[in-house]
Amino acid sequence: TITNQVIAMPKLHRVARLAALLAARGGRLGVAVDHIDGIERLAEAMAQYGSDAGIDVLVEIDVGQGRCGVPPGEAAVPLALAVSRSPRLRFAGLQAYHGRAQHLASSVGRRETIAAVVRAADHTRQLIEAAGLPVPLITGSGTGTLVHEAASGVFGELQAGSFLFMDADYARNERDPAQPAFEHALYVKTQVVSVRDTHAVCDAGHKSHAIDSGLPTVALLPADRTLRYANGGDEHGLLYADAPDARLPSLGHMLWLIPGHCDPTVNLHDFLIGVRGGLAAGTVERIIRVDARGALT
Ligand SMILES: Cc1ncc(COP(=O)(O)O)c(C=O)c1O
């Protein structure tokens, strides 16, 4: 699913092309909209492109994120009806994603926030259906709250992505007992390039991992895990041994960092190195190119 920021016509033509390419391979592209202008321009772009493939259109409701979306309730009804009247657009349902809820540290906080999301989405669905239009899908959720949307009986799709890799930010949050325990699978490998009395320095700064959700933690060997990573700028990280049982690593030592935020970290790299068998003893099995590298919009 791509979101509403597709108002520029050249971009909408690319969306129409992508929808046709996906349809030819048995896939479906979904776009979220929150304004009648966006719906009309998307319909125009689809008509100009001339493909019969059509495109799934979800009306986005703002369930608390404060980003895109119309308020839940009545405001979504005319948009859903407008989509359903357009021959090349398929009304696919509601986009009801609460991104901030994913990262709330307390499991009770996440559960209560998503309970309100579920009520808002269900109420909006009822209003659209009362206007005579079935709502095929309510979609949203992410790694932090997926158990709640899954159990709601209201959501038909979970958009979780980070669970595949996990990151230091998600790992810091309190786990709900119902939540699966996802393991870390994304690391940035780095080497110690300088050792001083007070700290060591490694060659991974924030050009190699995203720090918007906090700094990385140090993974793998028990001795390394006690090290504290601090921001050393663009190309460097500072390592402190301030835990009672910690020792500074030696020059040349290899470390694996668990990035603070996995999604924007992946986008900083051309390739992922696929290792099977664990970091210490595993073997490289695949080099995976990051196709979306630099595809920022
Ligand atoms: C709209 C939307 N849905 C789902 C997700 C996935 O969330 P997570 O990676 O936390 O599982 C994101 C993440 O940025 C998102 O923007």
Side-chain angles (χ1 to χ4, degrees), residues 137-283:
L137 179 71
I138 297 179
T139 177
S141 191
T143 298
T145 67
L146 60 89
V147 285
H148 307 307
E149 282 94 341
S152 68
V154 166
F155 278 73
E157 181 183 76
L158 307 174
Q159 299 174 6
S162 297
F163 72 95
L164 181 66
F165 290 139
M166 286 300 281
D167 54 35
D169 177 57
Y170 265 131
R172 273 188 280 268
N173 294 341
E174 185 194 356
R175 196 177 136 241
D176 188 285
Q179 199 177 338
F182 298 117
E183 292 176 21
H184 293 290
L186 182 77
Y187 303 89
V188 172
K189 192 177 183 185
T190 178
Q191 188 169 29
V192 175
V193 292
S194 170
V195 184
R196 298 179 42 189
D197 291 348
T198 47
H199 63 273
V201 182
C202 69
D203 60 357
H206 52 72
K207 279 185 184 170
S208 65
H209 54 263
I211 58 171
D212 58 304
S213 301
L215 293 171
T217 51
V218 184
L220 193 59
L221 301 174
D224 293 344
R225 272 192 215 121
T226 57
L227 292 170
R228 177 171 62 83
Y229 181 99
N231 192 348
D234 298 4
E235 287 99 5
H236 300 94
L238 309 179
L239 300 162
Y240 290 96
D242 42 22
D245 54 344
R247 256 187 317 117
L248 284 178
S250 50
L251 193 66
H253 186 67
M254 294 290 188
L255 293 161
W256 281 266
L257 304 178
I258 299 171
H261 193 182
C262 58
D263 327 24
T265 294
V266 171
N267 189 62
L268 295 171
H269 296 268
D270 292 325
F271 298 101
L272 297 165
I273 313 296
V275 174
R276 189 180 297 279
L279 284 179
T283 49

Side-chain angles (χ1 to χ4, degrees), residues 4-5 7 32-39 57-62 67-71 75 79:
N4 338 38
Q5 300 99 15
I7 204 81
V33 297
D34 65 359
H35 197 283
I36 189 68
D37 290 353
I39 296 169
V57 179
L58 300 143
V59 172
E60 179 158 2
I61 52 173
D62 180 0
R67 196 166 57 184
C68 299
V70 292
L79 297 182

